[in-house]
Amino acid sequence: MDTTKHLSTLMRVMSRFVYLSGLLLLTGCGWEKKVSFTEPSGDATIEILEPFPINASGIRVVLKEGGRRAALYDKRADIFFSFADVVWPKDRGSVAVFACLGGATIELAFDRIRREPKPLGPLSHMVAQHIRANYSVPSEISTDAEIFKWACSDGEKQFQARYPESAAR
């Protein structure tokens, strides 16, 4: 009789565990930070997040600043995040993000004062030069477009070495 009671309790606990595990897998359990880039002053951070536990099913770019969070980019799809770079202009009025997503890219800028997206155009060259300064871009690669193309191919290995936590699960 005592064994039957313990077996019954064990079966209830196990069925709850299976139910909750299945529910967790079906709904996902949130977002996992893959990499972050902090402004030199330390006042703001860009975080690149992927869904957990299945990383390649989306991407989110979040600006954390002054206790506030702003989602700058949010997409649920088959995404293969492989490279990112963030530029914090000295005027502290904006931030620029470039990321490679397995054939696609994120190229965005955000006005930190107005709290709204802005065209990357004026910051594009700055992002390309930041990539050149921080990675071993071959000297024969000279245009901004070539630097971005390099980042999404050969630059991926250097990025993974610098940010091993960014690797997909």
Side-chain angles (χ1 to χ4, degrees), residues 46 63 65 68 70 72 87-89 91-97 108-120 123:
I46 289 286
L63 170 65
E65 178 175 40
R68 297 184 293 180
L72 307 184
V87 173
W88 303 93
D91 69 5
R92 302 185 69 206
S94 59
V95 61
V97 178
L108 65 86
F110 187 75
D111 185 315
R112 295 169 61 193
I113 294 156
R114 293 188 176 137
R115 309 286 301 166
E116 64 187 23
K118 66 186 248 178
L120 179 65
L123 297 173

Side-chain angles (χ1 to χ4, degrees), residues 56-75:
S57 63
I59 193 162
R60 183 177 285 167
V61 178
V62 175
L63 170 65
K64 292 173 61 177
E65 178 175 40
R68 297 184 293 180
R69 296 172 58 92
L72 307 184
Y73 186 89
D74 194 341
K75 186 171 185 177

